[in-house]
Amino acid sequence: MPRQTRLPPPGYVARRLGQSALVLWAAFTLAFAILYILPSDPVSIMLNQAEQSLADAAQVAALRAEYNLDQPLVVQYGIALWRALHLDLGRSIQTGQPVAALLAQAIPATATLAAAALALALVGGIGLALAGSLAQAGWLRAALLAAPALGVSLPTFWIGLLLLQALSFHFFLFPAMGNEGWQSLVLPALTLAVPTSAAIAQVLGRSLAAAWGQPFAEAIRAKGVSRPRLLLTHVLPNAAVPLLTMAGIITGNLLAGSVVTETVFSREGVGRLAQGAVAVKDIPVVQGVVLLAAASFVLVNLLVDLLYPLLDPRILQQRQAG
Amino acid sequence: MPLRPFRLAPAALAVLALATLPAGAQPAPQPGGVLRIAIDTDPQCLDPQQAGNNNSLNVGRQITDSLTDQRPDTGALVPWLAASWSVSADNLEFTFQLRDDASFSDGTPVDAAAVKANLEGIVKLGARASLGAGYLAGLREVRIPDSRTVTVAFAAPNIQFLQATSTMSLGLLAPATLARSAEERCQGQLVGSGPFTVARFVHNQQVRLNRRDDYAWPSALARHQGRAHLEGIEYRVIPESGVRTGSLVSRQIDVNASVPPQDERLLLAQQLPVLARANPGLVYSFFPNEADPLLRDPLLRQAIVKAVNRAELQSIISRFQAPASAVLAKTTPLYSDLSALLAHDPDGSRQLLEEAGWRPGQGGIRERDGQRLVIRLSYWQSTPFLELVQQQLRAVGIDLQLNRTTISQVTALRDSGSYQLQFFNLTRADPDILRAVFGSSGRNVNNRAAAPVDALLQASSAELDPTRRRDLVAQAERALIEAGHVIPLVELSTVIATGKNVHGLDYEASSRLQLYDTWLGR
């Protein structure tokens, strides 16, 4: 193959784009189906809230018609899909606000939280894997390598409440709630970073161990290069490519974790929006959040797929050969 | 120090709270400060005229005024925006004389035309104003002979309307607000005449209210005149109960507006003031579906009434809650104690079941013609006392099967009609709630045919004289219990906790918060 064409060919890009659209459509349809399998009616939930409503049946029926909830399932699905294709996500049944506006308001808060958590997770996860890789003492090495498994299995909810008890209620270092200022970001970002950093440490630790065993490492060591230097300049770059594969999973982790984290820390964001909407079966909002989650997942994977050939041309060549 | 379990009666707690004040004198209110209140769920819609949850009604109370106000202790109505009112001899027409100095926060006057526009607007909101539209059912016309006089005429006697004018569901909004869409109003585009105005509403996050400096028309119940003491109110949505409690103890909030029973002991041990009040209206009860082949039988329904040991339920519920002593809670105006009808009588219950043909069967569950006596209940509330009720019913041979699920599943089941029992409470500071819920021409919660009790319910909502009305209400409740149309269980209480720096915080008659007189100590 000509070595000068480092950019992925148009066919490859088109195929990836087509697959992404398919994933989005599947997520939309699945969410719609699940929401309709659940036996409940968002309008009566809106009217009932905590107590029972005294509204009469005719008034309720009028309201139901307003949201097309009296139409057959296929028609409702068609209307929702048609609107989604035109980037019209409809209005929340509970609050009447456009779903796009609700999402636009929630996304910055969650993006900030996710970015802070990702930064912490990268530092923590890579640091842990490197430390485990360098540790000489057997017991320390074992402890460092076991830490990620522990981190993955701790419930986010529990970590959040422990941090709150210690650093907010007992010693007032950080506020327990809200979105104001960097102080309010510290505890939720830490909470969200723990499982992500553990996952990063796990994958990186394993591929570091594999890279150490490669002949090139043996050869360089034989030249007298120190272990830490070898690790940073040769082993780490080789072991880091699999981390890129994790980008999609990490995005998913952060989005899923934001539901719990934002609830425990009373923060505004996509997670809280999703949690609230599911609880009251606010179909348009749930659909919007599902689409957003699917879109960010798809986008990250698409970027990774397009980056791969640049980092490692063999990937493209294998595909074309096969 | 080990925590010893201790129990305090609410009265003793009130004394405890008072004991922290200097003897004899009430401290003078200090102006200023922002009260931070933790609420458990998003208010969703701030418009008090539209259907809302307790949190949104609490916000609505601070931004709107009502024609009348209701004394929490006696249920008596007192002047607010209406300086006086009269009721026609046939109970069909209510005429209000408005005070002449009140204005909405956009400067427009609170006059007769505004009141008319509000009442007609609520009817037009329909199902969205499920509470308010119910209060105004049968509205014939609103006449405004002059700018200070409003006459509200109904097609049938409707004495509950007077109490309804004291609720935030009929709170008044500026005509400019009424012209907005229901959605815009939900988002806080609301102009009222209350002591506070909406500054900011961020879903799942906070509602910020600011004081209105030219406010000068509090209700006759207020303890001061002029503007509110607080500079502002900040409602923070904090879904986790442990975080609400921790934030209160560490002084990151001033009020926890939703204290679950498991946090009460911790708060009392911290000596933080805890305020509790039973919600007026229907207590937590079972409401049998009488279209069901089993519960159609009055003997079975009466057997359930007698099988419940209400005194025993006290061991499970909050120390601030009481078992039911009538269909209505103690805090409801015109309440009568009917606990004699609700006495625990397991032998009487077994006898009724025998009479109905239910014989002891396998595993202690009764059977008739090979059918086991199984009753299913789906509910969503966090009410562990139902499991004790389950055991009590089992003792007489009834198998109550409990299925705790989501509110959406429960409403779906209710709408489908395929259920045996409903379980809920309903807050309303007027006994008319009986007619609205049980009346065969109202919601008809029992799905039953018209019966003599309907006449009693109707009469109790048309009678103006309080003594005679109390008597009619008690008769109606007696008839409902004796026919097993309702199986009252436990009163609901609202329990809040505050920091020691919060003063003058009170429940209004519907057990929601009134913050006009509230102030923060330094």
Side-chain angles (χ1 to χ4, degrees):
Chain A
M1 280 300 292
R3 286 196 53 100
Q4 65 272 24
T5 59
R6 297 295 298 269
L7 281 174
Y12 177 79
V13 177
R15 203 163 47 237
R16 282 285 177 270
L17 281 174
Q19 283 167 350
S20 302
L22 204 68
V23 168
L24 282 179
W25 170 78
F28 180 86
T29 307
L30 205 64
F32 185 89
I34 289 172
L35 286 168
Y36 276 90
I37 289 168
L38 294 172
S40 75
D41 169 25
V43 166
S44 49
I45 296 172
M46 172 181 81
L47 296 177
N48 276 287
Q49 299 280 351
E51 292 184 356
Q52 306 273 314
S53 112
L54 297 172
D56 72 56
Q59 291 174 329
V60 175
L63 211 53
R64 208 166 276 151
E66 212 178 298
Y67 291 102
N68 297 317
L69 292 169
D70 57 340
Q71 303 280 342
L73 213 57
V74 188
V75 177
Q76 288 190 47
Y77 174 74
I79 294 174
L81 188 61
W82 181 251
R83 285 189 181 157
L85 282 174
H86 292 75
L87 295 179
D88 173 8
L89 297 173
R91 282 169 177 276
S92 158
I93 294 177
Q94 293 293 322
T95 69
Q97 275 190 307
V99 174
L102 286 172
L103 285 175
Q105 198 182 355
I107 287 171
T110 300
T112 313
L113 174 62
L118 183 62
L120 286 175
L122 281 173
V123 170
I126 295 176
L128 196 61
L130 290 182
S133 176
L134 281 178
Q136 301 287 342
W139 62 270
L140 182 62
R141 196 181 161 81
L144 287 171
L145 290 178
L150 183 69
V152 170
S153 36
L154 288 180
T156 320
F157 186 78
W158 186 75
I159 300 171
L161 286 180
L162 274 194
L163 285 173
L164 272 178
Q165 277 299 341
L167 301 180
S168 183
F169 299 157
H170 195 70
F171 302 105
F172 179 60
L173 300 176
F174 301 103
M177 72 205 90
N179 288 57
E180 284 107 41
W182 63 269
Q183 293 95 336
S184 73
L185 192 62
V186 175
L187 295 184
L190 262 178
T191 307
L192 192 51
V194 169
T196 311
S197 67
I200 292 174
Q202 237 172 359
V203 170
L204 188 62
R206 219 168 286 146
S207 58
L208 278 177
W212 275 121
Q214 300 254 338
F216 81 88
E218 295 281 332
I220 299 173
R221 263 190 90 181
K223 289 185 188 167
V225 175
S226 72
R227 263 178 79 87
R229 195 183 148 85
L230 170 62
L231 178 69
L232 290 178
T233 53
H234 297 281
V235 176
L236 184 58
N238 273 287
V241 177
L243 264 192
L244 206 58
T245 332
M246 282 186 73
I249 297 169
I250 291 175
T251 312
N253 260 349
L254 291 174
L255 273 175
S258 75
V259 175
V260 174
T261 312
E262 288 173 359
T263 304
V264 171
F265 292 94
S266 318
R267 287 177 66 84
E268 183 200 8
V270 179
R272 276 297 289 293
L273 189 66
Q275 184 260 336
V278 169
V280 294
K281 208 185 166 196
D282 197 338
I283 296 172
V285 178
V286 179
Q287 288 277 36
V289 173
V290 167
L291 271 186
L292 175 75
S296 42
F297 199 76
V298 159
L299 197 70
V300 168
N301 276 325
L302 189 66
L303 280 177
V304 170
D305 280 350
L306 297 180
L307 273 178
Y308 263 146
L310 299 183
L311 293 179
D312 190 350
R314 284 174 301 178
I315 289 172
L316 211 56
Q317 284 163 8
Q318 279 162 12
R319 188 174 296 279
Q320 282 161 350
Chain B
M1 191 192 77
L3 270 181
R4 271 181 303 123
F6 67 97
R7 285 188 153 263
L8 285 174
L13 282 168
V15 172
L16 200 76
L18 285 176
T20 58
L21 303 175
Q26 290 275 341
Q30 298 176 21
V34 175
L35 187 74
R36 298 160 302 172
I37 304 181
I39 53 179
D40 56 347
T41 53
D42 186 34
Q44 304 274 13
C45 173
L46 292 190
D47 183 358
Q49 293 184 357
Q50 297 186 47
N53 54 34
N54 278 330
N55 292 329
S56 69
L57 292 175
N58 265 327
V59 176
R61 182 68 290 171
Q62 319 310 328
I63 56 176
T64 58
D65 295 334
S66 296
L67 287 172
T68 63
D69 201 0
Q70 190 178 20
R71 287 187 68 100
D73 50 353
T74 64
L77 296 169
V78 300
W80 194 347
L81 289 176
S84 66
W85 56 88
S86 59
V87 185
S88 68
D90 54 7
N91 289 345
L92 288 176
E93 297 197 353
F94 302 79
T95 302
F96 299 87
Q97 293 294 329
L98 304 178
R99 58 186 296 161
D100 57 11
D101 56 348
S103 67
F104 295 107
S105 58
D106 63 359
T108 53
V110 180
D111 57 11
V115 174
K116 177 181 163 80
N118 270 277
L119 296 180
E120 289 172 352
I122 289 166
V123 173
K124 218 184 312 169
L125 277 172
R128 287 185 200 274
S130 64
L131 293 173
Y135 300 160
L136 293 173
L139 181 72
R140 196 159 53 84
E141 60 169 341
V142 183
R143 293 194 302 271
I144 43 173
D146 62 68
S147 72
R148 295 283 145 219
T149 310
V150 184
T151 297
V152 185
F154 287 91
N158 187 8
I159 201 66
Q160 61 83 31
F161 170 67
L162 265 188
Q163 187 274 337
T165 60
S166 75
T167 66
M168 50 292 228
S169 302
L170 299 188
L172 299 181
L173 298 167
T177 298
L178 300 178
R180 290 189 179 275
S181 72
E183 286 81 13
E184 286 174 323
R185 288 164 57 175
C186 274
Q187 294 320 306
Q189 307 240 25
L190 294 165
V191 173
S193 65
F196 295 92
T197 58
V198 183
R200 189 165 62 238
F201 176 23
V202 183
H203 279 290
N204 291 316
Q205 188 62 37
Q206 60 162 305
V207 181
R208 169 64 199 242
L209 305 183
N210 284 339
R211 174 171 65 195
R212 195 177 155 196
D213 284 331
D214 60 346
Y215 185 79
W217 42 90
S219 104
L221 291 181
R223 290 191 297 272
H224 79 287
Q225 296 297 312
R227 65 185 190 178
H229 297 309
L230 295 169
E231 212 174 282
I233 304 168
E234 199 168 282
Y235 295 85
R236 309 295 302 245
V237 184
I238 303 181
E240 269 302 306
S241 71
V243 178
R244 288 196 299 277
T245 300
S247 302
L248 181 68
V249 173
S250 59
R251 310 187 69 171
Q252 299 185 51
I253 56 169
D254 303 307
V255 178
N256 176 0
S258 173
V259 178
Q262 68 267 23
D263 288 355
E264 284 168 6
R265 189 189 292 177
L266 175 73
L267 292 164
L268 291 172
Q270 296 276 345
Q271 302 200 336
L272 291 172
V274 176
L275 282 80
R277 187 172 189 266
N279 281 44
L282 295 183
V283 299
Y284 274 126
S285 309
F286 289 147
F287 301 87
N289 177 5
E290 296 174 21
D292 178 78
L294 288 188
L295 289 162
R296 185 181 294 152
D297 183 355
L299 293 175
L300 173 57
R301 304 196 303 262
Q302 289 154 5
I304 302 175
V305 174
K306 289 180 188 294
V308 178
N309 182 351
R310 291 169 183 79
E312 197 182 38
L313 297 179
Q314 183 71 65
S315 61
I316 292 200
I317 56 184
S318 150
R319 70 195 73 201
F320 300 107
Q321 247 178 319
S325 53
V327 186
L328 299 172
K330 275 193 283 297
T331 43
T332 322
L334 306 183
Y335 156 87
S336 307
D337 186 347
L338 299 174
S339 44
L341 292 177
L342 299 174
H344 182 217
D345 179 11
D347 291 333
S349 177
R350 289 191 190 98
Q351 202 179 332
L352 286 168
L353 291 170
E354 289 287 335
E355 242 178 90
W358 294 100
R359 304 272 175 261
Q362 272 187 346
I365 301 303
R366 289 175 184 268
E367 293 174 3
R368 185 176 70 186
D369 309 329
Q371 189 190 8
R372 285 162 61 80
L373 183 41
V374 176
I375 298 176
R376 290 186 182 78
L377 170 68
S378 290
Y379 67 106
W380 55 267
Q381 295 90 339
S382 169
T383 43
F385 65 82
L386 283 179
E387 284 159 38
L388 188 51
V389 173
Q390 182 180 43
Q391 288 175 30
Q392 295 171 352
L393 293 190
R394 182 169 275 270
V396 300
I398 302 173
D399 183 8
L400 175 67
Q401 298 194 348
L402 296 176
N403 169 32
R404 183 161 180 218
T405 172
T406 59
I407 185 169
S408 43
Q409 305 242 15
V410 173
T411 46
L413 207 59
R414 187 199 68 194
D415 294 347
S416 74
S418 58
Y419 62 89
Q420 292 182 291
L421 292 177
Q422 283 190 67
F423 170 77
F424 60 86
N425 80 292
L426 223 164
T427 301
R428 173 90 202 264
D430 190 280
D432 180 66
I433 191 69
L434 293 172
R435 183 197 55 81
V437 169
F438 291 99
S440 64
S441 58
R443 192 205 287 184
N444 193 5
V445 70
N446 301 114
N447 290 321
R448 60 179 173 80
V453 70
D454 287 317
L456 265 177
L457 290 167
Q458 207 58 47
S460 72
S461 77
E463 177 57 57
L464 191 57
D465 177 70
T467 319
R468 279 202 299 265
R469 190 171 177 218
R470 181 192 296 271
D471 193 44
L472 285 167
V473 168
Q475 283 183 43
E477 282 185 85
R478 178 180 293 270
L480 290 170
I481 295 173
E482 283 176 346
H485 293 316
V486 59
I487 297 132
L489 299 171
V490 163
E491 292 185 346
L492 169 71
S493 281
T494 301
V495 182
I496 69 166
T498 76
K500 290 173 186 160
N501 57 333
V502 177
H503 305 272
L505 181 64
D506 289 312
Y507 286 110
E508 44 89 281
S510 303
S511 296
R512 273 134 197 162
L513 297 177
Q514 175 59 267
L515 301 172
Y516 171 70
D517 282 322
T518 306
W519 56 278
L520 286 166
R522 300 283 181 265

